[in-house]
Amino acid sequence: MALQLYVWGPALDVPSIDPSCVAVEAYLRATNANFTVVYANDPQLSPTGQLPLLKDGPVWVAGASRILSHLSKKGHDGNASLSAEQVADSLAYISLIEEKLYDCMLFTWYADQTNFVKTIRPTYAKLLPFPTRYFVPIRLRNNAKARLEKYEVEIKDDDDSPLATSETDDLKKLMETGWHHMYTLARDTYKVLDAKLGEKDYFFGDEPSTLDCLAFGYLSLHMYPMLPHHRLRIILTTEYPRLSLFCDRFKKAYFAEPLPQSESASEIPTLWKSFTNSPVEFFSSIKSNIIGQSGEEKKEEKKSDAQLDFERKRIWSIAGAVTLFLGYIIMNGIVSIEVGDDSGDYEEDFGDDE
């Protein structure tokens, strides 16, 4: 049975708008795994609130590191040809990539207001369904803001940071956000990776390893997006041409052919999905749970009038809140409800199949 990989969709001339999604797909391609891709474009589908997400039979595995660990145990080991010492080196470089390169990407996407307003936010809006396209980009920017606080980088809200009207104004705004430190960080990280790569095709020789997949995943989002201010791309191509050639080499070798998308994506079990698919069954299950719990409690001990009154009020409060919420989303056209009797069985196991 083919694996199913749920990822953010392609954008900005990159296989996915998310570096970890690119990295996991690169790993699956490099290890010749039999898989299809599902462009989910909705991180709320995942139990961790993030993509990528892998379905392996009845098993769901969330998060890049957990997915790679799961695949390694299942016979798709990207480090099969490496020695123990090389594997240890690989882990150190991967840690550097996942922290430093990701931080630099976040800076150019979210601290640079021009890049965010003109490219990043509209790109996410095209990928995301309604209504998430209106608030997910803002949430991602807030996450970036929190992550970059350690560098004393300031990311301003739209209303507080009007777009620059000239290159001089733009440079001034970037200087205010700590751009010099972040581009120094990018150069330092590129230098370390460039020294490790040397004149080789891949970091440990003629064949790619897990490190190459992670490096391509993160470097590709520095290299290929043509942002209004694409400084990382300029630094890579002009100062570290071996890394830019590595990206081109990997992309040509493993992403030349488009991957078939899953014709029928498996439905990820969530509370929201259960409600939208069958509201009648959803409320029936809630009712049965309440009745069942009340019956069990009555068997255990007789409750006082005060306790019973409290429970009745609690149930009515919950029912009222749910009713108001449903009324809001239906009246505003956020969701339409179709009552049906379709049902499906599934098994879930969030984590490695051990």
Side-chain angles (χ1 to χ4, degrees), residues 112-138:
D112 189 321
Q113 187 73 354
T114 300
N115 283 347
F116 177 72
V117 172
K118 291 188 175 181
T119 302
I120 301 304
R121 186 170 60 188
T123 299
Y124 274 113
K126 292 178 181 178
L127 291 172
L128 289 162
F130 175 86
T132 55
R133 66 177 63 136
Y134 295 109
F135 56 82
V136 167
I138 304 303

Side-chain angles (χ1 to χ4, degrees), residues 67-84:
I67 290 174
L68 297 185
S69 175
H70 175 84
L71 291 171
S72 178
K73 295 175 184 177
K74 292 294 185 176
H76 300 288
D77 187 359
N79 294 331
S81 62
L82 303 186
S83 66

Side-chain angles (χ1 to χ4, degrees), residues 194 235-248:
D194 180 74
I235 294 172
L236 266 177
T237 55
T238 60
E239 299 180 29
Y240 301 93
R242 292 190 297 198
L243 290 180
S244 64
L245 289 174
F246 161 79
C247 290
D248 290 338

Side-chain angles (χ1 to χ4, degrees), residues 18-27 30 64-65 68 79 90-91 93-99 101-102 193 203 208-221 246-247 250:
D18 179 79
S20 60
C21 290
V22 179
V24 172
E25 183 176 342
Y27 185 95
S65 61
L68 297 185
N79 294 331
S90 175
L91 292 174
Y93 284 105
I94 288 173
S95 178
L96 179 72
I97 289 169
E98 291 180 329
E99 181 178 357
L101 290 188
Y102 188 53
L193 295 176
F203 284 95
S209 65
T210 303
L211 173 59
D212 296 280
C213 300
L214 269 294
F216 176 76
Y218 285 79
L219 285 173
S220 63
L221 283 158
F246 161 79
C247 290
F250 196 105

Side-chain angles (χ1 to χ4, degrees), residues 313-339:
K313 291 179 179 178
R314 180 177 61 179
I315 292 172
W316 280 111
S317 297
I318 294 173
V322 171
T323 302
L324 287 174
F325 171 71
L326 295 180
Y328 173 79
I329 62 176
I330 293 171
M331 290 296 294
N332 286 274
I334 296 175
V335 64
S336 60
I337 299 175
E338 294 182 3
V339 179

Side-chain angles (χ1 to χ4, degrees), residues 48 94 154 162 179 229 233 243 261 268 280 297 299 326 348:
T48 62
I94 288 173
E154 183 179 5
W179 68 274
H229 302 141
R233 175 187 173 92
L243 290 180
Q261 296 186 48
I268 305 171
V280 173
E297 290 170 352
K299 291 179 181 179
L326 295 180
E348 57 177 320

Side-chain angles (χ1 to χ4, degrees), residues 7-83:
V7 295
W8 282 97
L12 304 175
D13 198 28
V14 185
S16 172
I17 198 172
D18 179 79
S20 60
C21 290
V22 179
V24 172
E25 183 176 342
Y27 185 95
L28 287 164
R29 287 175 179 265
T31 56
N32 297 313
N34 178 24
F35 76 105
T36 57
V37 67
V38 179
Y39 295 133
N41 296 332
D42 187 356
Q44 299 307 315
L45 290 175
S46 171
T48 62
Q50 295 178 324
L51 296 172
L53 179 68
L54 181 74
K55 185 178 188 297
D56 182 5
V59 180
W60 295 90
V61 190
S65 61
R66 293 175 65 85
I67 290 174
L68 297 185
S69 175
H70 175 84
L71 291 171
S72 178
K73 295 175 184 177
K74 292 294 185 176
H76 300 288
D77 187 359
N79 294 331
S81 62
L82 303 186
S83 66

Side-chain angles (χ1 to χ4, degrees), residues 170-187:
D170 178 68
L171 180 60
K172 182 179 180 181
K173 288 182 178 296
L174 282 177
M175 290 178 67
E176 292 174 353
T177 59
W179 68 274
H180 179 75
H181 177 77
M182 296 307 297
Y183 288 119
T184 298
L185 178 66
R187 285 186 170 92

